[in-house]
Amino acid sequence: SLVIKKLVEGDSADKTKDFTFKLTFTKASTDDQGTFVGQVGSTSYTFENGKEKTITLHHDQSLVFDTIPAGTRYKLVETGSQGYTASAAYWENGVSKTQAGRISADLTQDSILVGEKRNENTITNSVQDVTPTGLLIDNLPFILMIGLGLAGFVVLSKKRRQA
């Protein structure tokens, strides 16, 4: 079996956003059918050998293939999304691997082998959190009140010295 899972991380990330994937299978030499059926929830998708198919996944959604012949290879391309950095942590025939991406760029995984052991692929899109800098607008009234108080004290002190 093969599971392709989508995760989204970051405080300002949109967890309802759909991310676009292009998936292409190359059948194993022992496979005579050449079609692969995967499911996202209750929706089924049929993939044909060598033909690219586009699907969308959002946070915590998985494309699950219950039966794929060992020796099948697949290419997975996630279309880059503005502000998101894609990365992959996957199992290729029982071997754990990772692949880092670049911000707002496509993430391409080429010729991944589906074997008899564990086969999973988790693609994570993360948004870099923005650290607040400078003055917060929430504190502006308090800062102005302190400034007015100091200005009043200075004016009062000058008037007392003159008198």
Side-chain angles (χ1 to χ4, degrees):
S1 72
L2 171 65
V3 177
I4 298 172
K5 184 173 185 171
K6 179 78 203 151
L7 294 177
V8 179
E9 293 178 345
D11 290 338
S12 58
D14 182 2
K15 299 205 175 181
T16 61
K17 177 179 174 53
D18 285 332
F19 294 89
T20 305
F21 293 89
K22 295 175 185 171
L23 185 59
T24 309
F25 284 99
T26 304
K27 70 178 185 170
S29 57
T30 57
D31 182 21
D32 20 335
Q33 289 185 346
T35 58
F36 311 93
V37 179
Q39 285 197 267
V40 177
S42 60
T43 306
S44 291
Y45 296 93
T46 302
F47 296 83
E48 293 182 32
N49 179 51
K51 292 188 179 178
E52 181 179 272
K53 186 164 189 154
T54 302
I55 62 162
T56 59
L57 296 173
H58 60 264
H59 176 66
D60 214 20
Q61 252 188 339
S62 297
L63 174 61
V64 179
F65 296 89
D66 289 328
T67 55
I68 288 188
T72 301
R73 293 192 173 269
Y74 68 95
K75 176 182 179 181
L76 182 66
V77 178
E78 180 183 1
T79 305
S81 294
Q82 187 66 36
Y84 288 87
T85 303
S87 62
Y90 60 100
W91 289 85
E92 182 177 13
N93 194 24
V95 178
S96 176
K97 298 183 178 184
T98 59
Q99 181 177 345
R102 295 186 330 262
I103 190 164
S104 303
D106 291 359
L107 177 70
T108 302
Q109 295 177 281
D110 225 352
S111 193
I112 299 175
L113 175 68
V114 177
E116 295 176 358
K117 298 178 183 165
R118 184 176 178 185
N119 301 290
E120 293 178 9
N121 198 341
T122 302
I123 292 87
T124 304
N125 282 58
S126 56
V127 175
Q128 186 175 5
D129 295 325
V130 178
T131 304
T133 58
L135 296 175
L136 295 176
I137 196 75
D138 297 342
N139 297 333
L140 188 61
F142 302 109
I143 293 169
L144 289 175
M145 287 175 61
I146 291 170
L148 283 174
L150 287 173
F153 178 74
V154 168
V155 168
L156 245 162
S157 295
K158 282 188 176 185
K159 286 201 177 205
R160 281 193 178 170
R161 285 187 192 164
Q162 289 176 356

